């Protein structure tokens, strides 16, 4: 969830035809079954009616609860037990492909509700390697199965401020919800600020995180999600900058989320905290170093002047938000699932999909406390050595012509 992208909840129910009457003068296409073949209106997509909605029990609520501060929980990464070639998982796949060399893989033919333990271990290892993995049309993976799969990887995280489902007993599920009457908040937050890793202020921020879209805009209707690889962000830095940042820590704060909830009259279920984490961490499965930074929660770099801290934060914000080759963008369809490693990815929602609704549920498990191992490796250096690619020249002073 974005650090403070919290909007007033009007009725916690998806829009009916009545709620969409204010769009009646806009020439939206008719439903697919009544359209003529290839009836196309640029920038307009079919509005799905939710007069009868099958996921009402998973609509958002904000129960007035209070939890004690989190304490450290045991964690052993299941990816360590995975096959380095992912043969248990991919043996059942009908297709697998990467979105780009740095991040993002899509797998077809896998039913996430029916994985063996060996396949789950491979899945964890693949997510650790690729950052985010996508699965289409996972109709069998209902919220109970999604929680069961998440709990296999570790203790499920409970969010202190965001919405949880109406159904009791699902306080470890985070609900993403926007309907046709929600306010457009794009002007409120800068695009760089919306990039974040989830709840990095926790003592043990999450690792394996799944998000399933229950309903949302149709293809071309907007609402995509983007991820950025922090392995690749680390590899973009010069060797002197890598060495410098490896010795620094950053403060991650929950205060802005708590303030946003208080401002809307919503409960804050756990007192906000500020936690210090290393700015560079080493992944326990891959052994690769990654940046551990996000624009949404990092407020300061420890032990250096504020001007220097601000300059580093602005520099890292730019790397994460503007470096296209470390990004992957996913266009959702109903029942699709993204499974990512929150330790090594930032992500950002995209908006502007009014008047469509968007409803998704997220499950995440706690990981280890972030730690830096100086013996860690670089993803890019290991990849280049394995495939016989040249060492990247990071000298920005040399002359070159731009070529796209």
């Amino acid at each position: 969830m974005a650090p403070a992208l919290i909007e007033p909840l009007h009725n916690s129910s998806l829009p009916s035809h009545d709620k969409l009457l204010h769009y009646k003068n806009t020439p939206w296409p008719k439903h697919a079954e009544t359209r003529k073949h290839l009836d196309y209106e640029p920038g307009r997509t079919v509005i799905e009616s939710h007069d009868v909605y099958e996921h009402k029990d998973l609509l958002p609520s904000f129960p007035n609860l209070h939890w004690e501060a989190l304490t450290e929980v045991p964690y052993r990464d299941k990816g360590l037990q995975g096959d380095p070639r992912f043969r248990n998982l991919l043996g059942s796949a009908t297709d697998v492909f990467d979105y780009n060399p740095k991040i993002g893989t899509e797998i077809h033919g896998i039913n996430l509700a029916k994985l063996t333990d060996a396949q789950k271990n491979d899945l964890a290892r693949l997510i650790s390697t690729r950052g985010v993995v996508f699965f289409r049309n996972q109709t069998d993976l209902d919220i109970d199965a999604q929680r069961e799969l998440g709990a296999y990887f570790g203790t499920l995280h409970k969010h202190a401020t965001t919405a949880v489902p109406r159904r009791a007993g699902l306080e470890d599920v985070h609900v993403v919800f926007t309907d046709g009457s929600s306010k457009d908040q794009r002007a409120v937050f800068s695009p760089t600020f919306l990039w974040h890793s989830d709840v990095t202020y926790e003592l043990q921020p999450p690792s394996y995180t799944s998000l399933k879209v229950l309903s949302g805009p149709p293809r071309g209707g907007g609402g995509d999600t983007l991820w950025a690889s922090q392995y690749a962000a680390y590899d973009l830095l010069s060797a002197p900058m890598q060495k410098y940042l490896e010795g620094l820590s950053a403060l991650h704060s929950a205060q802005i989320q708590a303030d946003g909830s208080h401002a809307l009259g919503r409960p804050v279920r756990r007192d906000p905290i500020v936690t210090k984490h290393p700015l560079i961490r080493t992944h326990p499965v891959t052994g690769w170093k990654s940046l551990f930074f996000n624009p949404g929660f990092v407020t300061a770099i420890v032990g250096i002047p504020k001007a220097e801290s601000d300059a580093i934060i602005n520099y890292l914000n730019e790397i994460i938000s503007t470096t296209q080759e470390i990004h992957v963008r996913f266009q959702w369809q109903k029942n699709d699932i993204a499974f990512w490693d929150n330790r090594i990815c930032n992500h950002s929602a995209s908006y502007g999909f009014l008047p469509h609704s968007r409803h998704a549920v997220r499950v995440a498990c706690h990981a280890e406390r972030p730690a830096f191992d100086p013996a860690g490796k670089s993803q890019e250096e290991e990849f280049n050595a394995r495939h016989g690619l040249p060492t990247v020249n990071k000298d920005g002073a040399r002359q070159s012509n731009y070529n796209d």
Side-chain angles (χ1 to χ4, degrees):
M1 155 167 183
L5 196 63
I6 303 174
E7 59 192 56
L9 197 62
H10 298 279
N11 191 22
S12 299
S13 60
L14 287 152
S16 65
H17 289 301
D18 292 339
K19 287 187 180 179
L20 297 171
L21 283 177
H22 58 294
Y23 297 104
K24 65 182 179 180
N25 294 322
T26 304
W28 300 95
K30 298 178 181 179
H31 286 284
E33 62 268 22
T34 62
R35 286 184 298 159
K36 294 180 180 179
H37 183 58
L38 292 183
D39 182 16
Y40 169 66
E41 178 72 24
R44 303 301 191 192
T45 47
V46 174
I47 306 170
E48 183 179 1
S49 170
H50 295 286
D51 291 330
V52 178
Y53 189 53
E54 61 182 315
H55 300 297
K56 286 185 176 180
D57 61 328
L58 301 181
L59 289 170
S61 68
F62 294 87
N64 189 13
L65 303 171
H66 189 270
W67 303 323
E68 295 300 316
L70 291 172
T71 57
E72 195 159 353
V73 296
Y75 180 76
R76 171 74 173 168
D77 201 306
K78 296 292 188 178
L80 293 167
Q81 303 175 43
D83 177 7
R85 301 300 299 271
F86 320 111
R87 286 169 289 198
N88 301 299
L89 179 66
L90 298 183
S92 303
T94 58
D95 192 17
V96 56
F97 55 90
D98 293 339
Y99 277 58
N100 67 58
K102 298 295 185 182
I103 182 173
T105 299
E106 185 167 321
I107 301 178
H108 296 175
I110 299 294
N111 186 338
L112 290 176
K114 297 181 178 180
L115 295 181
T116 66
D117 286 356
Q119 288 178 312
K120 295 173 187 175
N121 297 338
D122 280 9
L123 175 59
R125 192 175 190 101
L126 180 60
I127 297 168
S128 297
T129 303
R130 294 295 303 158
V132 57
V133 181
F134 307 113
F135 299 87
R136 300 285 186 181
N137 198 29
Q138 296 291 311
T139 55
D140 290 343
L141 196 83
D142 61 15
I143 190 57
D144 299 306
Q146 188 178 352
R147 292 176 68 237
E148 182 180 354
L149 179 57
Y152 177 82
F153 298 119
T155 302
L156 296 185
H157 176 261
K158 293 178 169 182
H159 203 294
T161 60
T162 58
V164 301
R166 289 178 177 178
R167 194 212 304 178
L170 300 181
E171 289 79 16
D172 48 21
V173 176
H174 163 60
V175 177
V176 177
F177 181 81
T178 305
D179 69 9
S181 58
S182 296
K183 295 180 180 179
D184 190 327
Q185 300 197 94
R186 285 175 292 173
V188 181
F189 304 98
S190 67
T192 56
F193 180 79
L194 292 176
W195 283 95
H196 66 285
S197 301
D198 290 326
V199 297
T200 55
Y201 48 76
E202 303 288 25
L203 296 175
Q204 296 172 264
S207 55
Y208 304 114
T209 302
S210 64
L211 181 70
K212 179 177 181 180
V213 165
L214 305 174
S215 61
R219 185 176 65 177
D224 302 353
T225 303
L226 296 88
W227 286 261
S229 168
Q230 298 216 69
Y231 287 146
Y234 171 83
D235 285 332
L236 288 169
L237 306 173
S238 67
M241 181 60 77
Q242 289 174 342
K243 189 69 175 176
Y244 173 52
L245 297 186
E246 286 171 3
L248 296 178
S249 297
L251 297 181
H252 299 242
S253 176
Q255 191 63 51
I256 193 169
Q257 284 191 333
D259 290 346
S261 290
H262 285 311
L264 292 171
R266 294 175 180 168
V268 175
R269 297 182 287 269
R270 194 164 49 240
D271 293 339
I273 60 172
V274 176
T275 305
K276 183 172 75 171
H277 290 310
L279 197 51
I280 308 296
R281 70 185 296 174
T282 308
H283 199 287
V285 175
T286 63
W288 294 334
K289 297 176 183 178
S290 76
L291 190 63
F292 189 59
F293 170 88
N294 68 88
F297 294 122
V298 171
T299 57
I301 311 296
V302 179
I304 60 175
K306 185 178 188 305
E308 189 173 331
S309 171
D310 290 348
I312 292 172
I313 288 173
N314 290 335
Y315 170 54
L316 297 179
N317 283 351
E318 182 176 4
I319 284 180
I320 289 169
S321 61
T322 67
T323 309
Q324 292 89 347
E325 65 264 28
I326 73 171
H327 293 170
V328 61
R329 182 173 186 137
F330 186 59
Q331 188 174 79
W332 297 94
Q333 298 178 49
K334 184 177 179 180
N335 292 318
D336 290 347
I337 286 185
F339 228 128
W340 71 93
D341 191 334
N342 193 66
R343 296 169 290 190
I344 55 168
C345 289
N346 280 292
H347 62 276
S348 177
S350 63
Y351 298 94
F353 52 85
L354 191 75
H356 297 293
S357 304
R358 189 168 182 267
H359 186 196
V361 284
R362 190 192 75 203
V363 172
C365 71
H366 290 275
E368 76 283 357
R369 293 190 74 155
F372 172 70
D373 181 355
K377 302 165 289 185
S378 154
Q379 180 197 48
E380 185 168 74
E381 289 176 1
E382 184 174 300
F383 183 87
N384 289 349
R386 182 185 306 161
H387 299 288
L389 298 174
T391 301
V392 175
N393 187 341
K394 297 181 180 179
D395 179 7
R398 58 196 169 92
Q399 186 174 1
S400 178
N401 291 325
Y402 176 71
N403 181 10
D404 62 357

